[in-house]
Amino acid sequence: MAEENQKSSAVGTPSTKEECLEKGGEWIKHLILSGHFCALKTTDAGKSCSDDTQCQGDCIPSNQFAKAGDLSMGQCAEIYPIPVGCPTHIAKGKVVVVPCI
């Protein structure tokens, strides 16, 4: 979670509904934690990547069946943060699986 919070701060993710909507984001109720968060569209969606640091959001594996630890290339996500599901992303060329949210 700390990594996501650092990235949220770096990309300037709004913390209020008003700020979120002003930036064209979607104000989403978190399904597990109490409260809401802002999901913003990224401008580098679809760009090739091999690590999250190469994207405004997450680097998503190109292979939807990739498992944790697999070597993989990916594409930058369309939104950040990814609001629900069991998000996978790529760090240093390997697939990382995050607990389901």
Side-chain angles (χ1 to χ4, degrees), residues 45-69:
K47 177 182 124 183
S48 290
C49 57
S50 61
D51 189 85
D52 285 334
T53 60
Q54 299 167 334
C55 302
Q56 291 172 338
D58 292 325
C59 179
I60 306 299
S62 298
N63 177 357
Q64 65 181 357
F65 301 108
K67 297 179 195 95

Side-chain angles (χ1 to χ4, degrees), residues 25-77:
E26 185 177 349
W27 193 243
I28 298 173
K29 180 170 177 36
H30 199 288
L31 298 176
I32 296 175
L33 303 174
S34 63
H36 291 76
F37 65 95
C38 184
L40 293 173
K41 291 184 180 182
T42 62
T43 59
D44 60 357
K47 177 182 124 183
S48 290
C49 57
S50 61
D51 189 85
D52 285 334
T53 60
Q54 299 167 334
C55 302
Q56 291 172 338
D58 292 325
C59 179
I60 306 299
S62 298
N63 177 357
Q64 65 181 357
F65 301 108
K67 297 179 195 95
D70 287 354
L71 293 176
S72 182
M73 289 295 294
Q75 294 182 335
C76 296

Side-chain angles (χ1 to χ4, degrees), residues 1 4 28-33 37 58 81-88 97-101:
M1 264 327 231
E4 182 173 313
I28 298 173
K29 180 170 177 36
H30 199 288
L31 298 176
I32 296 175
L33 303 174
F37 65 95
D58 292 325
I82 296 174
V84 293
C86 304
T88 58
V97 178
V98 178
C100 298
I101 50 176

